[in-house]
Amino acid sequence: LSIPSTVTYKDNTYSVNKLSRNSLANDNKMKTLTIENGINKIEASALSGCYNLETISIPESVSEIDNHAFWMCRNLKNIVLPNTLTKLKPEIFVDCISLETITIPAGITTIPFRMFEGCKNLTTVNLPDTITEIQWSAFKDCSSLTNITIPSGCNVDDTAFEGTSIEIN
């Protein structure tokens, strides 16, 4: 599936600037999603419950991804977050159990609460030096997580890595 940045209807062309709340939620036929350049926001729960979604291509025009955007996308394996993101909302990737590696773009300062909770196959998280806070349960039950480097001076909540082998001193 491809989400275009413009749609023409009855000789009128309309701009598409976001994926609306719940717009594709629970679509279990979609395996690949390409979002065209020009779309700037993925709203809350836009793709939640898309169990068969494996790959998402997000353009650099996207600067905001809301809560639960990819909640329970259980087969999501490949996603590259655009460098244009300025803030991450909580609970975006909860129970994305097939996700193995993710790189957080430079400029992000906080890993919000429950961001990756239940991502059981997540092994590698690449954090930029700009991260100053990792909130509660951010990586809870990411039982395969073994490769993460936390920037010095980062404030890490005591429960951020609950259910993992990562220990914060």
Side-chain angles (χ1 to χ4, degrees), residues 10-11 81 85-86 110 154 162:
K10 293 186 178 183
D11 296 328
L81 297 175
L85 283 179
T86 56
T110 300
C154 182
E162 191 174 65

Side-chain angles (χ1 to χ4, degrees), residues 51-79:
Y51 296 136
N52 291 315
L53 183 61
E54 295 176 3
T55 304
I56 302 171
S57 176
I58 302 174
E60 290 295 316
S61 59
V62 172
S63 60
E64 190 173 343
I65 299 175
D66 279 346
N67 303 50
H68 311 135
F70 308 112
W71 183 293
M72 293 181 62
C73 290
R74 295 181 178 264
N75 284 309
L76 182 61
K77 296 175 186 161
N78 299 306
I79 186 166

